[in-house]
Amino acid sequence: MSTVSSTVENYIKTKPFLLSALSQGIINLTSLSRNMMVELESEFGKDVKQGAIVMALKRLSVDLDFRLNHKIVKILKDISEITVRSSLCDYSFAASDTLLNKQSDLISEINKYSDIFYTSSRGVSETNIVVSESISHYVEKHFAGEKLLHKFDNLASITIKLPNENVTTPGIYYFIFQRLAWEGIVINEVISTSNEFTILVSDDIVDVAFKVIKDLKSL
C-alpha cells in the first residue's frame, strides 16, 4: 500500500534537478508541496494534507543529503587526475563488415606516433573514433568508402581518473553530469573505462567544463 512518504519520494526521483535541489535545501517545501498536491491526490484518489507532504519532503531531504552527497563527495575529493587535450576530431561510421579491418590498418599506421590522442568505441550500429587533428587524414584515408555518419572538429577532451570506489557507489556520474548540465555544457561524446572517463566538448567551452569538474574536488 502506498504511503504519502513513498509517493513523495517516487515523485521526486522522477525529477533529477528537483532531486538535487531538495538534497541541497534550496527549495521552498511549502510551495513545492502545493505544486505536488494535484498529482498526489490523483494517485491516492482522495485528498492529501499539505502538511503531510511537507513533512515527507523534510524527511526525504535529510535522507537525500546523506545518500546523494556524503559518499559521493568523499570520492570526488579523491579524484587523482584531470587531463585536458585539445584539437581533436570525432568521427562516427556506420557498422560494416569491413570496419574492423580498416580500424586495424589505421592503428598500425598511427602506432609510430607517441604524442597523439586515439580512442574508439563500437556500438550496435555505429563505431566512433576520436583522434588528434594531426592524424585525422589517416582516418579519412583508411575509412574511405565507409559510411560517415558525422564528423566534429575543434573538440577538446577532459579525462577524469576516479578512485576505485566509484564502481560500487551509485550516483557518481549523475552528480558530475548534473553539474555540467547546470552550466549548459553540451557533451559531444563520453568514453569510459572502469575508473576513468573522458568527455568531449567544443574547444570554446572546455575551460568552463574543466572548472566545473575541478571545483568538484573542493565540495
Side-chain angles (χ1 to χ4, degrees):
M1 178 180 177
S2 296
T3 64
V4 172
S5 294
S6 63
T7 305
V8 166
E9 181 169 356
N10 289 335
Y11 176 93
I12 296 297
K13 282 180 177 177
T14 63
K15 298 169 174 58
F17 288 102
L18 185 58
L19 181 69
S20 180
L22 182 63
S23 73
Q24 295 177 63
I26 57 177
I27 280 186
N28 184 306
L29 299 185
T30 301
S31 297
L32 175 59
S33 65
R34 191 179 302 118
N35 290 335
M36 294 170 60
M37 284 188 70
V38 173
E39 186 169 331
L40 265 61
E41 287 180 344
S42 175
E43 182 163 342
F44 274 102
K46 61 181 180 181
D47 292 342
V48 177
K49 292 183 179 180
Q50 187 175 349
I53 299 175
V54 172
M55 287 303 298
L57 288 170
K58 285 181 178 178
R59 288 193 295 268
L60 184 59
S61 62
V62 172
D63 187 36
L64 286 172
D65 181 59
F66 175 78
R67 282 191 285 165
L68 292 182
N69 288 331
H70 293 276
K71 294 179 181 179
I72 293 174
V73 168
K74 180 181 182 298
I75 289 175
L76 294 176
K77 285 181 181 296
D78 290 336
I79 290 175
S80 58
E81 296 176 20
I82 304 174
T83 306
V84 178
R85 296 287 297 260
S86 59
S87 301
L88 303 179
C89 292
D90 177 17
Y91 295 86
S92 182
F93 295 97
S96 75
D97 294 336
T98 56
L99 207 60
L100 282 177
N101 288 335
K102 292 184 177 180
Q103 192 169 348
S104 177
D105 293 339
L106 170 66
I107 293 172
S108 295
E109 183 155 19
I110 66 175
N111 196 43
K112 59 188 176 184
Y113 298 96
S114 58
D115 191 27
I116 60 165
F117 185 95
Y118 168 84
T119 185
S120 175
S121 56
R122 184 181 182 186
V124 174
S125 59
E126 62 183 14
T127 290
N128 179 259
I129 295 174
V130 182
V131 296
S132 299
E133 287 182 356
S134 61
I135 60 168
S136 61
H137 59 286
Y138 288 123
V139 177
E140 294 172 13
K141 165 189 166 184
H142 287 286
F143 286 80
E146 297 293 335
K147 183 179 180 181
L148 178 65
L149 300 178
H150 72 238
K151 175 189 175 184
F152 296 113
D153 297 309
N154 302 315
L155 298 179
S157 68
I158 303 175
T159 300
I160 301 96
K161 188 171 183 180
L162 296 168
N164 293 337
E165 294 87 345
N166 94 88
V167 298
T168 57
T169 304
I172 300 293
Y173 289 93
Y174 165 75
F175 199 94
I176 295 171
F177 289 124
Q178 180 193 69
R179 293 302 192 276
L180 292 167
W182 278 358
E183 294 299 325
I185 304 297
V186 176
I187 299 175
N188 287 71
E189 198 73 50
V190 179
I191 306 145
S192 69
T193 58
S194 295
N195 294 309
E196 68 178 46
F197 74 94
T198 299
I199 61 170
L200 290 180
V201 298
S202 296
D203 269 327
D204 57 357
I205 61 170
V206 67
D207 290 340
V208 178
F210 176 78
K211 184 179 185 305
V212 170
I213 294 172
K214 185 173 180 291
D215 287 349
L216 292 174
K217 290 172 62 67
S218 58
L219 286 172

